[in-house]
């Protein structure tokens, strides 16, 4: 293709939008061409800046730490962690529940809001889905790491083996593997399917032969034919309808891992809705934490607007209030059960050795997020970013509180044993965060962060105007 | 050999009008757009598709299959007394059944959509037309295939020009 002062010109005479230019002018509407060029250029021509390199180096260092922690664990055993009896479940399970939860908001945004015809989801669904996949990938690793003999993880899968035994279908731990495996496969399918038309755009727009072939292979030869679109939309809607009950079932099953146990603090019927809501809460927090720098660094403020952030903040507030309600009901249920162990557990939780953690949970998940009632704060990206971080921390601590503080006081006082994390516990957590961020950066580098095809349609129906 | 003739339009409404007109004269009409245009498939005479049926079948196979596996392994192949519960404890067999119903249906929806759409098909005569790059960006195309009964290179081109497109291009085989 010819160029003219940095502007690419298509053989037909059509001029592409030059990267970094301020089009359209302030107040004018975005056309399909401008949307496509702007978003496609983020992966095709935008050079990697210094910030990107620094982020890449830092996150790959943490990914390396994660790999070292896993290798050392596999070579030595779970003794390198602070786990003991009775606290056999600690960081690994806390990380597992936290990461699965973070994934939930992505599916909620992309599937649930699609069914509810919330058109604002168009700008945020792609990166939220990517967030889901990477979070669930981190989550899926954690139970395998904590197995003790992780090389037997495949024993959870039913297959006709030479030992002539089958999994115990009555155990929620078996349900877990079905739920998590289904969740990650369906999330990847849903994400990839939405990507196909965008990959075709990248294929048609790419200059180098390598990129044309790479994107072309994954675009599967998409031509945007009307009959193809018709089947595509049907399948997309069906997938959304399937993903919505799926996402609720996944965290329900995760919560049953705990509530099927007799441990006071776990054995409660409130767990499924409590966990699902907590999952959405942490997920919306992560979506906001990712969206704020994304729109600032890649200059996507016209696509991911303050309105989008504000709507996600409202969802954060609603789920946060339900979490608050769950804390109250949990304490009330313990009192109402008149069971000495349940009552003792709540007392220990808030006044025992882990009291600082429990009160931090209340601070991070209940008290500070009340600031979201302020409409002004909901429209302040920086404040929302900080608040999202606080909620993410609070939700991690909440999972830790539920898992560890409940296990630490066994029924027999002679079994009581405190849990203290070791370096490798912390390295696994920090490493998983780094690996998540690393994969997210790779996603931003190679795939469009916003759905171009959906945004083209959206811009046609409801004009998106340039603000700067 | 000609594969088809393409007429290029600037917007979805122009394409919809053109498709409706062209369908009165030609049968093998295709339309290409950068996003799903509502009503375009209907204008091409496509009222329903088989993706929902395939999805339903996929869900039934997934759910039914795993329930059968649970029943067979717990009742026939490896019966063990687990706290006096019936061997076929159907309530606790539901969670895996539910998950695999979703998985089967989602896989069927995805694969069914691809197969019915004739994908993957990495090469197609349309990709030989440089202009077609813009079909995934901002241009809308109407195509009339050369296999149509009433197709004639000259007359069809004139017909397409009469629909007031931006331009008409030939797609070589």
């Amino acid at each position: 293709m010819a160029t003219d002062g940095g502007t690419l010109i298509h053989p037909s005479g059509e001029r592409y939008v030059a990267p970094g230019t301020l089009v359209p002018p302030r107040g004018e509407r975005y056309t399909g061409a401008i949307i496509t060029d702007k978003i496609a250029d983020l992966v095709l021509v935008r050079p990697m800046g210094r910030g990107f390199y620094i982020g890449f180096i830092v996150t790959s260092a943490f990914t390396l730490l994660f790999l070292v922690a896993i290798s050392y664990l596999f070579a030595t055993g779970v003794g390198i962690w602070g786990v003991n009896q009775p606290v056999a479940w600690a960081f690994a399970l806390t990380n597992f529940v936290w990461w699965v939860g973070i994934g939930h908001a992505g599916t909620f945004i992309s599937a649930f809001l699609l069914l509810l015809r919330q058109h604002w989801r168009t700008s945020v669904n792609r990166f939220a889905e990517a967030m889901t996949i990477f979070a669930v990938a981190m989550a899926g690793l954690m139970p395998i790491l904590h197995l003790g003999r992780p090389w037997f993880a495949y024993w959870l899968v039913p297959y006709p083996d030479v030992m002539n035994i089958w999994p115990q279908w009555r155990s929620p731990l078996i349900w877990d593997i079905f739920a998590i495996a289904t969740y990650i496969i369906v999330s990847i399918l849903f994400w990839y399917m939405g990507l196909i038309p965008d990959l075709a755009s990248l294929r048609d727009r790419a200059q180098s032969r390598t990129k044309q072939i790479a994107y072309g292979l994954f675009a599967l030869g998409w031509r945007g034919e009307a009959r193809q679109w018709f089947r595509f939309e049907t399948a997309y809607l069906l997938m959304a309808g399937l993903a919505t009950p799926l996402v609720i079932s996944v965290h329900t099953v995760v919560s049953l891992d705990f509530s099927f146990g007799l441990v006071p603090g776990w054995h409660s019927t409130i767990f499924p809705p409590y966990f699902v809501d907590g999952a959405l809460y942490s997920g919306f927090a992560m979506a906001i934490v990712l969206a704020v720098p994304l729109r600032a660094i890649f200059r996507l403020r016209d696509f991911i607007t303050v309105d989008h952030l504000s709507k996600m903040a409202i969802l954060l507030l609603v789920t946060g209030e339900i979490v608050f309600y769950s804390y109250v009901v949990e304490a009330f249920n313990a009192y109402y059960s008149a069971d000495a162990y349940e009552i003792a557990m709540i007392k220990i939780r808030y006044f025992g050795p882990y009291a600082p953690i429990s009160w931090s949970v209340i601070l991070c998940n209940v008290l500070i997020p009340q600031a979201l009632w302020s409409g002004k704060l909901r429209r302040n990206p920086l404040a929302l970013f900080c608040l999202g971080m606080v909620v993410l921390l609070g939700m991690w601590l909440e999972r830790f509180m539920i898992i560890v503080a409940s296990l630490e006081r066994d029924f027999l006082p002679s079994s009581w044993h405190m849990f203290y994390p070791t370096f490798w516990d912390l390295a696994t957590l920090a490493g998983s965060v780094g690996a998540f961020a690393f994969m997210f950066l790779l996603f931003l580098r190679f795939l469009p962060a916003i759905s171009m095809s959906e945004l083209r349609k959206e811009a046609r129906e409801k004009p998106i105007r340039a603000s700067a | 050999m000609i594969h088809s003739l393409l007429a290029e339009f600037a917007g979805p409404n122009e394409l919809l009008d053109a498709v409706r007109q062209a369908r009165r004269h030609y049968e093998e009409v295709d339309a290409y757009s950068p996003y799903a245009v509502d009503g375009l498939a209907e204008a091409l005479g496509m009222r329903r598709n088989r993706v929902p049926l395939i999805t339903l079948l996929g869900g039934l196979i997934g759910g039914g299959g795993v329930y059968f596996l649970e029943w067979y392994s717990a009742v026939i192949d490896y019966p063990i007394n687990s706290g006096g519960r019936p061997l076929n404890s159907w309530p606790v067999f539901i969670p895996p059944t539910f998950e695999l119903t979703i998985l089967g249906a989602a896989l069927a929806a995805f694969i069914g959509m691809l197969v019915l759409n004739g994908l993957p098909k990495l090469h197609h005569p349309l990709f030989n037309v440089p202009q077609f790059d813009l079909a995934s960006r901002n241009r809308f195309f109407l195509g009339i295939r050369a296999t149509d009964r009433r197709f004639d290179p000259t007359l069809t081109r004139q017909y397409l020009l009469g629909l007031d497109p931006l331009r008409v291009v030939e797609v070589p085989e």
Side-chain angles (χ1 to χ4, degrees), chain A residues 5 34 53 61 63 102 161 205 219 279 281 288 322 356 373 385 438 443:
Chain A
I34 299 174
Y53 272 113
T63 309
I102 286 171
D161 58 46
R205 179 84 170 72
Y281 189 40
I288 289 173
I322 301 174
W373 288 102
F385 177 82
F438 178 71
F443 156 72

Side-chain angles (χ1 to χ4, degrees), chain A residues 327-350:
Chain A
Y327 294 161
V328 174
V329 170
E330 215 187 5
F332 173 78
N333 276 352
Y335 154 76
Y336 196 66
S337 71
D339 180 281
Y341 294 103
E342 290 285 341
I343 294 170
M345 183 278 304
I346 287 288
K347 279 188 187 158
I348 291 160
R349 184 178 283 181
Y350 290 105

Side-chain angles (χ1 to χ4, degrees), chain A residues 1 10-17 32-34 36-37 158 164-170 174-175 178-183 185-186 189 192-193 196-197 200-205 216-235 238-239 241-243 245-246 249-250 253 256 260 452-454 456-457 460-461, chain B residues 11-14 23 27 29-38 40-42 44 46-49 51-52 55 66 69-70 72-74 77-78 80 82 85-89 91-93 95-96 98-103 105-107 109-110 113-114 116-122 124 126-127 130-139 145 167:
Chain A
M1 275 180 231
H10 190 266
S12 65
E14 175 84 11
R15 295 169 80 91
Y16 286 118
V17 178
I34 299 174
T36 311
D37 290 351
N164 269 320
I165 56 170
W166 288 91
Q168 172 56 278
W169 297 103
R170 297 172 185 88
I174 293 295
W175 305 347
F178 282 92
I180 300 293
T182 300
Y183 189 36
I185 296 170
V186 172
L189 282 182
Y192 178 58
M193 199 165 116
I196 290 174
S201 290
L202 292 178
R203 168 199 68 199
D204 296 341
R205 179 84 170 72
L217 280 176
F218 285 104
L220 305 177
W222 179 261
R223 299 189 297 279
E225 208 262 315
R227 298 177 188 89
Q228 288 184 336
W229 274 121
F230 186 45
R231 295 190 191 98
F232 177 92
E233 290 236 300
T234 309
L238 285 171
M239 293 269 254
L242 292 166
L246 172 68
S249 84
V250 170
V253 169
L256 294 180
F260 265 47
M452 296 185 275
S453 66
E454 286 184 49
R456 283 192 290 257
K457 182 168 185 173
R460 177 88 196 173
E461 285 159 8
Chain B
N13 296 336
E14 292 90 324
R23 281 275 296 169
E27 276 157 26
V29 179
D30 298 316
Y32 306 88
S33 57
Y35 53 82
V37 175
D38 296 331
L40 196 54
E42 285 83 349
L44 287 165
M46 190 183 183
R47 303 228 165 266
R48 58 181 67 191
N49 65 62
V51 172
T55 308
V66 85
L69 182 67
E70 289 177 298
Y72 170 78
S73 63
D77 198 43
Y78 191 59
I80 53 167
S82 167
R85 293 178 185 85
L87 291 176
N88 182 21
S89 327
V92 284
F93 289 177
F98 174 80
E99 302 296 340
L100 268 278
T101 304
I102 301 275
L103 182 63
L107 282 170
F110 179 73
M113 182 278 289
L114 285 185
L116 291 175
N117 276 345
L119 301 174
K121 184 175 170 59
L122 296 181
H124 193 275
L126 279 168
F127 296 137
Q131 195 63 24
F132 195 68
D133 285 350
L134 300 177
S136 63
R137 182 171 174 265
N138 62 337
R139 290 284 192 254
R145 273 173 265 158
R167 60 172 76 70

